[in-house]
Amino acid sequence: MSLKKQYLKSKPVCKVTFSMDKEAALGAEKVELLGEFNNWNTAEPIIMKKLKNGSFKVTIDLPSAQEFQFKYLLDGEKWVNDDSADNYVNSGLGAEENSVVTL
């Protein structure tokens, strides 16, 4: 898994690329990105594109100078964190943690 950040000079936005390799996807056919940036809305998740090598990737624009909690949802069933997240915080749901991207 990885996070790649590209800050735009023309406006306070960062293009963040979220990617998950085939092994981390655990054989999933569909990977969705959910987090504070889309209000954890499972009805309208950010769909990650499956590449020919079995990995998944998506790039979204996020406001700079902020941080966002997020997780990946594999095949609509299994929640996983990003092992390359900037930080991890308690989700408020027991011992569960969420990944954090800091911009």
Side-chain angles (χ1 to χ4, degrees), residues 61-76:
D61 292 351
L62 294 174
S64 297
Q66 295 188 39
E67 65 178 31
F68 298 92
Q69 294 181 37
F70 71 97
K71 274 192 143 161
Y72 301 106
L73 183 58
L74 310 181
D75 288 334

Side-chain angles (χ1 to χ4, degrees), residues 12-58:
V13 169
C14 181
K15 288 188 171 294
V16 183
T17 300
F18 297 83
S19 56
M20 177 181 287
D21 60 31
K22 182 180 180 179
E23 292 75 28
L26 305 172
E29 290 298 315
K30 178 174 75 169
V31 177
E32 299 167 336
L33 173 65
L34 293 125
E36 293 178 316
F37 38 76
N38 72 339
N39 294 316
W40 299 96
N41 186 351
T42 55
E44 295 181 18
I46 297 167
I47 306 295
M48 297 182 70
K49 180 180 170 99
K50 187 172 186 177
L51 306 178
K52 288 183 180 181
N53 66 5
S55 65
F56 292 84
K57 184 182 277 191
V58 69

Side-chain angles (χ1 to χ4, degrees), residues 59-98:
T59 301
I60 62 173
D61 292 351
L62 294 174
S64 297
Q66 295 188 39
E67 65 178 31
F68 298 92
Q69 294 181 37
F70 71 97
K71 274 192 143 161
Y72 301 106
L73 183 58
L74 310 181
D75 288 334
E77 296 176 2
K78 181 173 176 63
W79 292 93
V80 295
N81 279 318
D82 191 313
D83 60 9
S84 65
D86 296 325
N87 197 5
Y88 302 93
V89 296
N90 188 296
S91 68
L93 302 172
E96 284 286 314
E97 286 188 331
N98 290 333

